[in-house]
Structure formats: C-alpha cells, structure tokens
Amino acid sequence: MREDVEALDIRDVTANWVNAVVLQAQIDDRIKALADLSHTPLFFGRLDYLHAPGAELAEGAEGEQFYIGRRHVHDADGDPMVIDWRAPVSQPFYRASKKDPQDIALRRRFGYTGGELTAYEDEHLSDPAEAAAVSKLLQQEIERPRVGPMRDIVATIQPEQDEIVRSGLSGSVCVQGGPGTGKTAVGLHRVAYLLYAHRDRLARTGTLVIGPNRSFLHYIEQVLPALGELEVKQATVDDLVARDGLEVRGDDTAETAVIKGDARMAQVLRRAVRSHVTEPAEPLMVVRGSRRWRVPAYELAEIVSELQTRDIRYGAARDALPQRIAHAVLVRMEQAGEAPDDRVQDAVARNAAVKAAVKAVWPLVEPSKLVLRLLSEPEFLAAHAEGILTEDEQKLLLWPKPFRSVRSAKWSAADLVLIDEASDLVERTHSLGHVVLDEAQDLSPMQYRAVGRRCTTGSATVLGDLAQGTTPWATRSWDEALTHLGKPEAAVEELTAGFRVPREVIAYASRLLPSISPGLAPVSSVRETPGSLVVSETADLTADVVSACRDSLAHEGSIGLIAADARIPVLAEALLAAGLPYLAPGEETTARSRLTLVPASLAKGLEYDYVVLDEPAAIVSGEPDERTGLRRLYVCLTRAVSGLTALHTAPLPAPLT
C-alpha cells in the first residue's frame, strides 16, 4: 500500500503549482501514516461471523471471516485483508461475550513477540458447551514490559472502555478512573475513533490533546501516529495561554495561586474590561460635503447601552459601534430626502469624527495591560473586586512591588491564565472540534475555563482521578469541574477495573483513599502478582535505594526511581557514582539505560515495570499541606506495572501503617 502511494505520478493531474504542493503534502502524510511498526503485526485478532454482517439471519446463510488490526489493509486488487479496529464490523471483538455473542461463532486472539506471531487463542462464543474463560493472551499483553513510550491498547480494549471510546462526537464525556484503569489510553483511542468516524468534520475543526506537562506529552506522543493519526496537536495548559513576549518568570504562593485560579476572577476581569466604556457626554457632528449631521449625546448613549446589554465581546461591540453611529446618520440623511447606500454608511463609519467618538467612548483594551493594572493598583482592583473578593484576598493578589510595564513584569503561570480570560472577553477564542484533557483533576477553575474556550463549539473528553489531585486548587467534584469547562451536560463514566497496577500494590496505595478522597471507590485490579510489593525500613537510605535500582535492572523492562523533588540531586549523584546511567522523565529507554530518575512532581501519568520509591514521608512533606502530600504519594505508589519497592528511614505516613 505504501509503495502504491510512493509510485503516484501527479504531474498530469494538477492545474497549477499550488495544487501540486498541496497534493504532494497529502501524499507525504499518507506515506508517513503507512509506516511499518516492526514490533507489531498487521493484525491481532479474527472474527468468524455466523452470518455475513447486514445479511438476513436465515438458517443456512453463510458466515464471514474478518481479521482485525490497527489499520485497514487491502491487497493489490483493493480487497480488504485486515479491517480497522474502529470499523463497526470490528466492534464485537471488544463487546461480544458468552452471554451476548453478537452473532460471533469464533473470536481468535493472536499473541506476538517482537512483531512475530507466536500463539493464538480461540473462544467459541456461540457454543453453549464451551465455558467462558479468562484470556491468557490478553493477560500477557497487559503485563508485557513497558520499554519506551506509551503504546496503543487496541488489542486489549475492554468492553467498558470500548463503550467510551466509541461514544459519539456530539456529546462530551468525563472519565473518572483510578491508577491503571487505562483512562489515558481510552482518551487517546477515542480521538482515533472520532477521526475515523468523523474525519471530514474534524479535519476542518481540529483536535487537541492537553496533558499536564511536557514529559507526559512526550510519553504518549507515539500512540496516535501508531494508529495512523498524524494531525492531532498536543499541548499543556501553559502552552494554550502563552502569549508572545510574555515569559513565566514569577511564582505565586499557594494561597495567591488559589485565588488567581478561582472562578470569581472571571467576574473581576469582566467588570474591569467593561469599565473602560464611558457614556457619551457630547453630541457628534459628522461633516459630509457641505452638509453637517448631528447625533445628540442621548442617542449615542442609547446605542452604547444597547451594545452593552447584548453581552457580546468587548472588541466585537467596539467594531459594531461606528456602524451603529453611521446608521443613525444615514437615518437623518434619508429624512432629509437623500438616498444613501451601504458605501455611504461605510464612509461615515470611517469618518474622523466618528473614529474619535468611538475611541473616547469605547477605547481599545490590551488584556496584558489590564491584568497588570489589577495586580499593581490597589484602587483599580478594589473598584472591580468589590463584593466579589474580600480585602484579604485582594491583598494576596497585589504584587509587593508593582512592575512598570508588561515586559518587565514577572508573570506567573496563573497570571497568563488571567490574561487569556481577559483576551477572550475582548476577542472570541478559536474553538476546536474536539479536545482531550488528561489529568484534569489538577486544573483550577480558571484553567478549566481556558480549556473550555477551546471547545465551545466542539466536544471534550475529560480524563482524571479525583484521588490524584496534587495542587492546592485540585478539583473537588467532576460536576463542578465540568461546569467551569462549559460542559455541564457531559456524561461522567467511572472505570474501576485496574489492568496496570498489581493487586497488592493498588491495595496498599488505597489505604490513603479515606484521607485523600473519602467516598471514592478503590480500584479493583485484575492482576494478582505475589511478591510485587516490598516496603522496607533502612538505616542507609541512599545506598539501599541505589542497590534496589541495581536489583530491579536484573528484570526486563523499564525502571523508575521516584523521589521527592528535594532528594533528586542527591540520588542523581549517587547513581552516577555507582555507575548507573539514568534518564529524565519522558525520555525513551535505551540499551544503555532503562532507569529513569523521576521527581515526584512529574510522576503523574507515567508508568514503569518496576518502581523504587524513595522516602514516602519526604514526598508528603514536600507539598504545601498534608492532604496534597498524601495525594502526591498516592500517585507515586501507583506507577508500577510489575513491582514496587518502597524504602524509608523516617516513619511512614500514618494511613499507610
């Protein structure tokens, strides 16, 4: 298929050089999408239907057989050999069961190693004599060592995951899922499915995956290309709100960041933006040739008031104001017996007197300068925060030493979110067709609003775990979060079956749930792995951690050493002294190094075959408060796929004992 595309000759089918460039770019993308995956076969399953799909279920009718794979594959004649996993005919591979065979006589799963088929396993779903059984190949694929970036799960998608993946484009979905339930994979595969089912629409409107940090995005970036989807953009929330010329050079205290992230700030900003509009005090005189046309101040005030009550964007209203004034002038021209047309109205709208009136009544607003004033001038902030923020909250917002200009200000990440909100009040933010928001529990209400602006006319897939919220402003409930996102009608789905973390490890980590997220159901892992959990007190912590890393490297797969951020420099030096090279989070494992040194603050969303956890108490104490610290520890405890070794000198946090 790739060679066929490479052999295309477009010299005689393009009318001009522009068409040729566009068509060649499309061909190049198609070639990239058809790249070989050396570690993966073209198909992973087979379905034998009792009857051909769509045919009458008449007795004696012939069935049909389909191979299921990551991509559609056809032969030289164009006949299908492998059916895309997203096609409707492939759905029973994930949904059919002994109780509901869905007209499937046989489901076959293929096992493979290094891209070569090594085994197969059959289920005769319509045979009442055969008992239901757990698939060993499915179990082996789930437990396969994690080397390199995150991979697709098309061979192992579970029925409850498939329902979310194939849900429609028109509705938004929120997925609450504990560690190892596959929520990130579900979100990415949902994007792949939506691009398959609604390609033309999403090609026009665009799709975006939002992750918590660059390390996480690097970790997941190969999943969609492996499924042939190359056009999906990836970003962090900080990337979304970044503005040319403004760098994040400042930090906020936790208390200040909480207030800046509070949804009430949207009301303060709205007041501040609208405060620039003033009521006209003087009439307007427009000169056209030898005639003068007068618009009284009260009529100008009515026009301004009407635009304000329409609740449109500040900038859009400002653009409309000169046309409204020009219309008032044209009414007077018509009353005087003239017959002006649209060209005359446009000319009046560009008249110097009209421009001057608009500038005086509805001046331009620069969002960054507006936020600079709010954070620098107590009187300006107080005037627009009255009745919304308390005096103490206003004091926390103000910079101790005001900055003189937008360029010199030391903006924090939360400040840029405020500027983004102000920008949307002035000019509408462009909306995409679909947005996936991962690790959503850590966003502030104002960050949710920033994401929501990017999908006002589209839909969203929100992924997260309330128990893993590790910011002081972490989400308390999905209903609240979805309201801030602008998707209150989104369906909330919960994944409770764990496939990644061993049962012993997740049970140990779940001891923290009553303290960090009361009422949240613990994950029930399908994998029982005796010996997967070791918790040990030690006298020489650093030396024993290095030794545990060396022991873990005797196993196949990736190794993650997770520690409190403050401990990272000490452990980095100890690893190098011991001759153990290490990687940074998100970097691909190599033959030289399979060990990654992970600060606790960057562990979220990552996974390793074996994890060595350094000093749990230090991870807790490294956060602003105990609850946030215990949540951070919960995240770190649940990164292991095959085994966890936790070493400590200080007493363990009380919930773990």
Side-chain angles (χ1 to χ4, degrees):
M1 289 169 66
R2 189 173 63 253
E3 288 170 355
D4 286 345
V5 179
E6 290 172 339
L8 289 173
D9 186 350
I10 64 172
R11 287 175 295 182
D12 296 330
V13 298
T14 53
N16 53 52
W17 70 270
V18 176
N19 289 349
V21 169
V22 171
L23 185 55
Q24 188 59 53
Q26 292 174 341
I27 289 173
D28 292 342
D29 286 344
R30 177 65 174 162
I31 293 170
K32 289 179 186 176
L34 290 171
D36 283 326
L37 296 176
S38 59
H39 61 283
T40 302
L42 290 174
F43 57 90
F44 53 80
R46 193 183 95 190
L47 287 177
D48 292 1
Y49 275 80
L50 290 171
H51 309 84
E56 293 293 330
L57 303 184
E59 190 174 337
E62 291 189 8
E64 200 166 352
Q65 183 182 97
F66 300 96
Y67 284 88
I68 312 299
R70 286 161 179 76
R71 305 293 310 282
H72 168 84
V73 182
H74 61 246
D75 61 17
D77 297 323
D79 293 326
M81 299 176 68
V82 178
I83 304 298
D84 194 299
W85 66 276
R86 297 168 287 188
V89 77
S90 302
Q91 182 170 311
F93 186 81
Y94 304 107
R95 302 271 190 99
S97 64
K98 294 291 289 185
K99 291 183 178 179
D100 180 20
Q102 300 187 14
D103 201 43
I104 301 298
L106 178 142
R107 173 169 57 200
R108 173 170 290 179
R109 300 182 191 274
F110 293 95
Y112 51 89
T113 303
E116 292 189 359
L117 294 174
T118 55
Y120 68 88
E121 184 180 77
D122 289 347
E123 297 173 86
H124 297 87
L125 298 178
S126 297
D127 183 357
E130 183 179 292
V134 177
S135 169
K136 292 183 179 179
L137 285 182
L138 193 64
Q139 190 85 359
Q140 290 170 4
E141 171 61 17
I142 290 171
E143 296 177 0
R144 190 150 56 96
R146 266 69 171 165
V147 178
M150 183 179 178
R151 58 177 184 259
D152 66 77
I153 61 162
V154 290
T156 62
I157 293 174
Q158 300 299 295
E160 64 272 20
Q161 296 174 328
D162 190 64
E163 288 183 18
I164 298 171
V165 167
R166 295 177 192 266
S167 55
L169 177 61
S170 59
S172 294
V173 179
C174 175
V175 183
Q176 159 64 39
T181 55
K183 56 185 178 295
T184 296
V186 166
L188 294 175
H189 288 68
R190 175 161 157 74
V191 171
Y193 172 78
L194 292 176
L195 286 168
Y196 175 88
H198 308 278
R199 190 167 302 280
D200 290 343
R201 178 176 170 184
L202 289 178
R204 295 192 304 270
T205 56
T207 51
L208 175 67
V209 174
I210 302 173
N213 52 57
R214 280 278 146 204
S215 297
F216 177 84
L217 292 177
H218 184 65
Y219 176 63
I220 68 170
E221 67 183 356
Q222 296 302 319
V223 174
L224 289 169
L227 301 174
E229 303 299 345
L230 306 175
E231 300 302 318
V232 180
K233 306 299 183 185
Q234 295 184 347
T236 64
V237 174
D238 290 345
D239 294 333
L240 294 185
V241 301
R243 296 177 69 84
D244 291 340
L246 299 185
E247 295 182 18
V248 175
R249 298 186 295 145
D251 289 313
D252 291 316
T253 64
E255 295 84 0
T256 299
V258 168
I259 296 172
K260 288 182 177 179
D262 195 300
R264 292 175 296 163
M265 287 301 299
Q267 302 176 52
V268 176
L269 288 165
R270 182 180 180 81
R271 281 187 184 178
V273 168
R274 292 287 173 173
S275 71
H276 289 77
V277 180
T278 57
E279 186 171 326
E282 301 290 334
L284 172 65
M285 192 70 68
V286 177
V287 179
R288 291 268 310 163
S290 61
R291 301 292 300 271
R292 295 189 175 201
W293 307 98
R294 182 177 182 276
V295 182
Y298 78 85
E299 189 170 345
L300 291 175
E302 288 175 355
I303 293 172
V304 170
S305 177
E306 191 269 336
L307 284 173
Q308 284 183 304
T309 56
R310 283 189 59 195
D311 198 29
I312 58 179
R313 295 294 194 283
Y314 183 92
R318 188 180 190 277
D319 293 340
L321 181 57
Q323 289 290 338
R324 296 298 178 87
I325 295 173
H327 177 72
V329 173
L330 259 66
V331 169
R332 283 161 174 74
M333 290 181 176
E334 291 170 347
Q335 290 171 345
E338 296 189 16
D341 56 16
D342 290 345
R343 289 175 297 177
V344 175
Q345 180 167 331
D346 290 340
V348 173
R350 295 193 299 270
N351 182 278
V354 174
K355 286 184 175 180
V358 170
K359 185 177 180 180
V361 173
W362 211 296
L364 286 170
V365 171
E366 170 55 46
S368 53
K369 290 182 179 178
L370 177 80
V371 176
L372 182 78
R373 285 191 68 190
L374 282 172
L375 301 180
S376 303
E377 302 177 17
E379 298 81 6
F380 187 70
L381 175 61
H384 304 300
E386 184 181 359
I388 300 174
L389 302 177
T390 66
E391 290 186 8
D392 289 341
E393 288 173 330
Q394 292 176 38
K395 289 177 182 177
L396 285 171
L397 285 177
L398 291 165
W399 283 321
K401 183 180 179 182
F403 297 99
R404 303 180 68 178
S405 70
V406 168
R407 297 283 180 176
S408 65
K410 290 186 177 180
W411 299 106
S412 68
D415 295 335
L416 295 192
V417 178
L418 297 179
I419 294 173
D420 189 72
E421 177 82 27
S423 298
D424 186 70
L425 290 168
V426 175
E427 211 72 52
R428 182 182 295 277
T429 304
H430 174 68
S431 175
L432 299 166
H434 192 76
V435 170
V436 175
L437 176 61
D438 204 353
E439 301 296 347
Q441 71 280 347
D442 273 341
L443 268 60
S444 69
M446 291 298 286
Q447 287 176 317
Y448 276 115
R449 291 176 63 87
V451 174
R453 286 191 283 277
R454 272 76 185 178
C455 56
T456 49
T457 59
S459 55
T461 300
V462 180
L463 312 166
D465 179 12
L466 296 177
Q468 295 186 58
T470 52
T471 55
W473 50 84
T475 301
R476 290 187 292 268
S477 76
W478 290 123
D479 286 344
E480 179 183 324
L482 293 169
T483 299
H484 294 312
L485 189 70
K487 306 292 181 185
E489 76 291 344
V492 180
E493 306 287 348
E494 188 169 5
L495 296 175
T496 57
F499 304 98
R500 173 171 54 81
V501 185
R503 187 176 302 172
E504 296 78 4
V505 175
I506 195 66
Y508 183 70
S510 294
R511 295 182 185 182
L512 298 173
L513 286 179
S515 301
I516 62 177
S517 196
L520 198 65
V523 172
S524 176
S525 178
V526 301
R527 298 176 51 220
E528 189 169 351
T529 313
S532 58
L533 175 66
V534 175
V535 181
S536 180
E537 187 173 1
T538 175
D540 191 345
L541 182 62
T542 301
D544 287 345
V545 164
V546 172
S547 178
C549 290
R550 194 184 302 278
D551 293 343
S552 296
L553 286 166
H555 299 288
E556 184 183 2
S558 58
I559 314 300
L561 170 54
I562 304 177
D565 291 31
R567 285 273 295 162
I568 294 299
V570 174
L571 293 173
E573 185 178 344
L575 289 174
L576 292 178
L580 295 178
Y582 62 88
L583 306 165
E587 291 183 346
E588 292 190 31
T589 55
T590 65
R592 181 171 176 266
S593 181
R594 293 180 289 117
L595 172 64
T596 302
L597 179 58
V598 187
S601 61
L602 296 181
K604 189 169 297 177
L606 305 179
E607 59 182 32
Y608 303 93
D609 286 290
Y610 291 88
V611 167
V612 177
L613 186 67
D614 173 272
E615 196 63 279
I619 293 173
V620 176
S621 62
E623 299 298 328
D625 58 79
E626 184 182 30
R627 188 184 188 194
T628 304
L630 290 174
R631 287 185 165 186
R632 182 77 71 187
L633 178 58
Y634 180 75
V635 171
C636 297
L637 285 169
T638 54
R639 300 303 95 200
V641 175
S642 298
L644 169 68
T645 300
L647 299 174
H648 66 100
T649 298
L652 290 170
L656 289 181
T657 58

